[in-house]
Amino acid sequence: MGFLQAQNCTNFPASWRHPESRTDFLSADYYAEIGRILEAGKFHLAFFDDRLAMPDRYGNDHVHAVEHGIRCVKLDPLVTLMVMGMATERLGLGATCSTTYYEPFHVARVFGTIDLMTAGRAAWNVVTSLNDGEALNMGRSGVMEHDLRYDRADEFMEVVLGHWDAWEDDALIVDKHTGRFADGNRVHRLDYNGRFFRSRGPFTVPRSAQGHPVIIQAGQSGRGRRFAARWGEVIFSTAHDVPSGKRSYTGLKEEAALAGRDPEHMKICTLVMPVCGESRAQAEDRMALIKQLPLEIDALSLLAEAINFDVASKGLDEPFTREELDSISGLQGIRDRVLAASGKSNPTVRDFVQISGRGTAEGAVVGGPREVADVLEEHFMEGVCDGFVVAATHVPGGYADFVRWVVPELQRRGLYHTDYEGHTLRENLGLPRPAVGASRSTTASSGRG
Ligand SMILES: Cc1cc2nc3c(=O)[nH]c(=O)nc-3n(C[C@H](O)[C@H](O)[C@H](O)COP(=O)(O)O)c2cc1C
C-alpha cells in the first residue's frame, strides 16, 4: 500500500525540494494522479496520514517549518481521499482520523459515507494523536496522557463499530409499490453510555458492500499494541531489522489471538522507502541526489514534534536529564530506541537526531529491481510482515519508479498479485466481510445499552 500525505511533502520533508517533485500539491489532479499510478501498480490501498497541526514544537514557533516547507501544509485527508476515490476504481482508500479530537458518531458517519461512495473501498487509520500543537488547535491545553488516550479510544471504537452495525444487511427494502422503505425492526439504536462517550443512535448510514470500513492501526507501545491487537485489521509497523521485526510480528499476532481474534484477519505491513531505478547504479545516483536535500532543521523540527519535547531548549550535544526523558509524552518508542542504540542513559539531542533518522531518507532501500525485490522478499519470507507500506522520496516519481521497476519483478517471483482479486478492499486484502455484531464477540463491551 502507498503511504501518502495530503501536504506539501511526503513523510520525507525534503521531498518537495527534489527536482522532479510536482509542486501542485494544492490541486485535485496531484492526488488523482497518485491514485492512478498506485492503481496501475495494483496497490491494494492508498493511505493518508494526518496531524492536526504543523510542526511548531521546536522553539515553540512555526516560522522555521513554514520557511523550509517542513510538513507545514496539511490538507484534510478525507477530502483528498475522495478525490482519489473518484479517479480510481479498485484502489483501497484509507485516511487517518484521531479518536482524541472528534466525536465517534461523526467519524462513523464520515467513513461510513466514504465507504458507500467508493463501493466498499474505505479504511480508517485510528490514531490517538500525540502532540501539544494538535491539542492547542483543537481547544485543549495539552496532550492527554498516553494510556488514557487509548482507554478513551477503546470506547470510541465501541461506539463507531456499534453504529456501523445499526443497519442489518437486509434492512433496506425501498419498495415503491408497498410503500415500505426499510424494515424498522432491522435498524437498531446503540444506546451507548460509557465513561468517555455517550451516543444514542440509530445511526443514519446503512452498511456498505464490505460491511464497514477496514480498521488500520499503528500502535507501538505496550498499550498501543494491545489496542491494535483488539481492533486493527491492517497494522502499520516499522521493522528496524529482521530479527526484531519477526519478534514484533509474532508478538502482535499472538496478542490478537489472545483477544479472541483470528490472527489471519490482521495483516501487518512494514514501512519501506524504496529508491529504485532500472539498475543499481541508477538508483545509487538517485540516492546521492536525495541525500543532499535534507537540512538539519528538518530533523530537529520533526524530532521535537514526534517526541513532543522542545529540543531547541537544549544544545545539540547536551545530554537529556532523567526527568526530561521521563517527561517525553510523544512517541516513546523513539526515546526507547535511542536509549538502547546509544547505550547511554543520558543521550544527547544529536543522538536522538542520528538514531531516529527523522527528517532524512535514512534506511531507504536503494537498488535496481532485483535488489529492492530481494529485500522485500526477505522480509516477507522471514515473517516480518504480510505486506508493505511504500513511502515516497518525491511525488509522484517515488511511487511511479516502484510501480515501473519493482512491481514487475515481484510479480515475476510470484510474490505480488497481477490483478485485483475483488471489488471491495476487504476482498483484495483477504479480510472477511464482518457480520452485523461481529465486533461485539471479541470485545469486552463497557458502555452498550
Ligand atoms: C506507518 C505509521 C503511520 C502513522 N501515521 C500516523 C498519523 O498519520 N497520525 C498520527 O497521529 N500518528 C501516526 N502514527 C503513530 C501511531 O498511531 C502511534 O501513535 C505510534 O506508532 C506510537 O505508538 P503508541 O501510540 O502506542 O505509543 C503512525 C505510525 C506509523 C508506524
Side-chain angles (χ1 to χ4, degrees):
M1 56 195 67
F3 189 32
L4 310 185
Q5 288 71 29
Q7 63 186 24
N8 61 302
C9 53
T10 68
N11 67 325
F12 172 54
S15 67
W16 74 269
R17 302 173 199 135
H18 193 287
E20 289 166 28
S21 263
R22 274 177 66 160
T23 53
D24 57 344
F25 48 83
L26 300 181
S27 76
D29 188 60
Y30 178 85
Y31 300 98
E33 176 66 5
I34 299 170
R36 285 190 285 263
I37 289 169
L38 297 182
E39 191 161 81
K42 312 288 180 204
F43 273 52
H44 282 148
L45 184 63
F47 144 77
F48 282 98
D49 74 5
D50 197 24
R51 190 110 342 137
L52 297 159
M54 62 171 72
D56 61 357
R57 198 69 176 85
Y58 183 76
N60 199 22
D61 192 25
H62 65 275
V63 173
H64 72 279
V66 175
E67 285 284 338
H68 300 293
I70 306 169
R71 302 190 188 167
C72 59
V73 172
K74 288 281 343 170
L75 306 183
D76 186 288
L78 289 153
V79 178
T80 49
L81 189 69
M82 273 312 295
V83 169
M84 197 169 268
M86 295 301 96
T88 52
E89 286 176 2
R90 298 290 185 88
L91 181 67
L93 303 152
T96 300
C97 199
S98 170
T99 56
T100 302
Y101 300 116
Y102 298 102
E103 277 293 319
F105 184 91
H106 173 70
V107 170
R109 197 166 75 121
V110 171
F111 277 93
T113 305
I114 293 178
D115 210 20
L116 287 169
M117 295 301 106
T118 59
R121 293 189 282 146
W124 168 31
N125 180 35
V126 184
V127 301
T128 61
S129 299
L130 45 85
N131 78 5
D132 285 344
E134 299 179 286
L136 293 170
N137 283 348
M138 299 306 271
R140 316 288 161 86
S141 53
V143 77
M144 194 185 294
E145 192 270 317
H146 182 274
D147 287 8
L148 187 65
R149 294 203 296 269
Y150 277 105
D151 293 345
R152 206 168 163 282
D154 270 328
E155 271 200 25
F156 198 109
M157 297 307 294
E158 291 181 358
V159 178
V160 170
L161 286 158
H163 281 319
W164 283 343
D165 281 347
W167 289 65
E168 292 183 27
D169 285 315
D170 51 2
L172 272 176
I173 301 168
V174 199
D175 187 333
K176 292 184 188 175
H177 298 293
T178 63
R180 265 194 109 194
F181 177 73
D183 184 341
N185 293 318
R186 292 183 194 272
V187 180
H188 307 281
R189 251 163 66 164
L190 180 63
D191 289 318
Y192 191 93
N193 196 359
R195 179 176 160 212
F196 302 98
F197 295 105
R198 273 194 313 219
S199 189
R200 195 194 67 174
F203 191 54
T204 55
V205 183
R207 276 159 63 90
S208 73
Q210 64 169 353
H212 64 69
V214 171
I215 302 296
I216 306 174
Q217 228 286 315
Q220 288 176 327
S221 62
R223 181 65 184 94
R225 284 164 66 88
R226 271 211 317 282
F227 181 85
R230 181 171 172 194
W231 305 108
E233 298 178 280
V234 172
I235 306 293
F236 290 154
S237 68
T238 43
H240 299 291
D241 53 65
V242 170
S244 70
K246 276 169 79 164
R247 277 196 303 277
S248 170
Y249 179 93
T250 36
L252 202 53
K253 293 260 174 172
E254 280 165 16
E255 200 140 1
L258 280 177
R261 299 181 55 203
D262 180 345
E264 283 296 303
H265 297 164
M266 186 174 79
K267 309 290 181 189
I268 299 176
C269 301
T270 50
L271 194 60
V272 60
M273 181 178 272
V275 175
C276 44
E278 190 172 6
S279 63
R280 183 201 287 251
Q282 192 187 59
E284 281 172 355
D285 286 349
R286 289 181 175 178
M287 188 62 191
L289 183 152
I290 288 162
K291 274 193 168 155
Q292 294 183 353
L293 302 174
L295 307 172
E296 190 176 77
I297 187 71
D298 298 348
L300 291 168
S301 178
L302 293 186
L303 178 65
E305 181 194 40
I307 62 176
N308 200 26
F309 184 96
D310 181 10
V311 292
S313 64
K314 307 182 69 66
L316 208 52
D317 291 306
E318 195 185 327
F320 277 81
T321 65
R322 187 71 252 162
E323 295 71 46
E324 287 169 342
L325 290 169
D326 289 341
S327 76
I328 286 174
S329 61
L331 284 175
Q332 295 172 344
I334 293 183
R335 173 196 61 196
D336 298 344
R337 197 150 53 83
V338 173
L339 285 170
S342 69
K344 299 179 188 171
S345 47
N346 297 88
T348 63
V349 174
R350 196 186 297 279
D351 291 325
F352 266 79
V353 167
Q354 284 173 350
I355 294 166
S356 74
R358 278 198 95 73
T360 69
E362 200 75 26
V365 178
V366 186
R370 262 182 293 144
E371 289 88 36
V372 176
D374 282 350
V375 173
L376 302 188
E377 180 169 1
E378 188 198 0
H379 278 67
F380 181 68
M381 299 308 275
E382 288 286 328
V384 170
C385 58
D386 300 308
F388 295 90
V389 188
V390 178
T393 49
H394 58 292
V395 179
Y399 304 114
D401 288 341
F402 185 83
V403 166
R404 179 164 182 203
W405 302 115
V406 183
V407 167
E409 177 63 24
L410 292 171
Q411 286 171 330
R412 250 192 302 281
R413 296 181 189 195
L415 294 167
Y416 194 96
H417 46 281
T418 50
D419 204 352
Y420 290 101
E421 287 210 355
H423 288 272
T424 69
L425 178 57
R426 287 181 185 281
E427 285 165 357
N428 288 323
L429 291 176
L431 292 172
R433 184 181 191 279
V436 167
S439 71
R440 255 169 285 171
S441 58
T442 57
T443 61
S445 170
S446 59
R448 280 170 207 270

